Amino acid sequence: MVVAVVSPNSSESSDRALVRACLRGETQPFGHLYRRYQHQVRSTLFQLCGEEHLDDLVQDVFLRAWKGLPGFKHSAKFSTWLYRIAWNVASDRRRDYAKRRERFQTAVANLPTESNRRSQLTQLHYQDLVQQGLAQLSLEHRTVLVLHDLEDLPQKEVAEILDVPIGTVKSRLHHARAGIRQFLQARGIEL
């Protein structure tokens, strides 16, 4: 068995070598890929979904990546493909959260008003201001802002991850930044 030894700062070509080794049945190279990308995936998922169940979401991304390796197109960058999986996991999570939230809001509507106000104040107390601003954005706008501005991915790569034209990425980025700016200014923060 040949094991690829890779430094943490390896290039795209080493990703491809590690993927090829995984496809030959080796498991250790996937551990290298995991260590190389876990922090970026975790950061992206945190920005898109918040802290709740973050470990499970990261695990889901890498599990999907492992299972999906046979379908990986070697013409794509592994990191772009992995970000696409992370975006899909985040989208699934947001859909599930929206369904649960709708059921919860229906149940809460029958509670006394004072209880609702206390619950809202407690929630606002524990949320970070930037997270609040991100939460005001649509998933599409938030995703583009997180991937481009917070994860420092080029617009072209964001377009590949989301499978949209680069013009759409630019438009969403413009609207997302304007939304965050407006949110912060409404709270007295001048940019």
Side-chain angles (χ1 to χ4, degrees), residues 83-152:
Y83 273 115
R84 177 67 182 185
I85 293 171
W87 185 78
N88 287 336
V89 166
S91 295
D92 292 348
R93 174 74 178 161
R94 301 281 301 161
R95 260 190 305 278
D96 291 345
Y97 176 76
K99 288 177 189 174
R100 283 195 321 268
R101 184 175 180 203
E102 185 177 317
R103 286 191 303 258
F104 177 75
Q105 286 176 337
T106 302
V108 169
N110 298 324
L111 295 175
T113 308
E114 182 62 30
S115 175
N116 291 347
R117 274 188 246 144
R118 263 185 295 191
S119 173
Q120 289 172 347
L121 288 174
T122 302
Q123 181 181 8
L124 289 175
H125 176 72
Y126 290 106
Q127 291 180 343
D128 177 65
L129 190 58
V130 173
Q131 286 297 315
Q132 289 176 34
L134 286 172
Q136 301 299 315
L137 300 175
S138 69
L139 181 60
E140 290 81 12
H141 288 111
R142 179 195 296 200
T143 300
V144 169
L145 188 70
V146 167
L147 291 175
H148 183 270
D149 287 0
L150 301 178
E151 293 298 323
D152 293 323

Side-chain angles (χ1 to χ4, degrees), residues 9-185:
N9 297 327
S10 294
S11 67
E12 180 180 333
S13 63
S14 70
D15 285 350
R16 287 194 176 117
L18 290 170
V19 168
R20 282 192 299 275
C22 291
L23 292 173
R24 288 192 304 268
E26 299 174 35
T27 56
Q28 189 176 10
F30 194 77
H32 291 293
L33 291 168
Y34 174 80
R35 285 186 294 280
R36 184 176 296 164
Y37 292 107
Q38 71 173 323
H39 296 294
Q40 294 96 321
V41 167
R42 182 178 212 62
S43 175
T44 299
L45 289 170
F46 175 77
Q47 298 299 330
L48 293 175
C49 299
E51 191 172 1
E52 186 179 6
H53 305 293
L54 187 58
D55 290 335
D56 293 338
L57 295 172
V58 172
Q59 183 177 356
D60 191 18
V61 168
F62 283 99
L63 183 61
R64 288 186 190 188
W66 174 253
K67 289 179 177 178
L69 276 178
F72 173 66
K73 293 180 176 72
H74 293 281
S75 60
K77 284 175 59 177
F78 178 79
S79 60
T80 301
W81 181 71
L82 190 62
Y83 273 115
R84 177 67 182 185
I85 293 171
W87 185 78
N88 287 336
V89 166
S91 295
D92 292 348
R93 174 74 178 161
R94 301 281 301 161
R95 260 190 305 278
D96 291 345
Y97 176 76
K99 288 177 189 174
R100 283 195 321 268
R101 184 175 180 203
E102 185 177 317
R103 286 191 303 258
F104 177 75
Q105 286 176 337
T106 302
V108 169
N110 298 324
L111 295 175
T113 308
E114 182 62 30
S115 175
N116 291 347
R117 274 188 246 144
R118 263 185 295 191
S119 173
Q120 289 172 347
L121 288 174
T122 302
Q123 181 181 8
L124 289 175
H125 176 72
Y126 290 106
Q127 291 180 343
D128 177 65
L129 190 58
V130 173
Q131 286 297 315
Q132 289 176 34
L134 286 172
Q136 301 299 315
L137 300 175
S138 69
L139 181 60
E140 290 81 12
H141 288 111
R142 179 195 296 200
T143 300
V144 169
L145 188 70
V146 167
L147 291 175
H148 183 270
D149 287 0
L150 301 178
E151 293 298 323
D152 293 323
L153 294 178
Q155 290 179 0
K156 182 179 178 187
E157 190 168 347
V158 173
E160 289 175 32
I161 291 167
L162 300 178
D163 196 25
V164 297
I166 194 162
T168 301
V169 170
K170 290 178 180 184
S171 173
R172 287 180 184 174
L173 189 57
H174 171 77
H175 290 292
R177 287 174 177 163
I180 288 289
R181 187 178 309 110
Q182 184 180 23
F183 177 84
L184 294 173
Q185 286 174 343

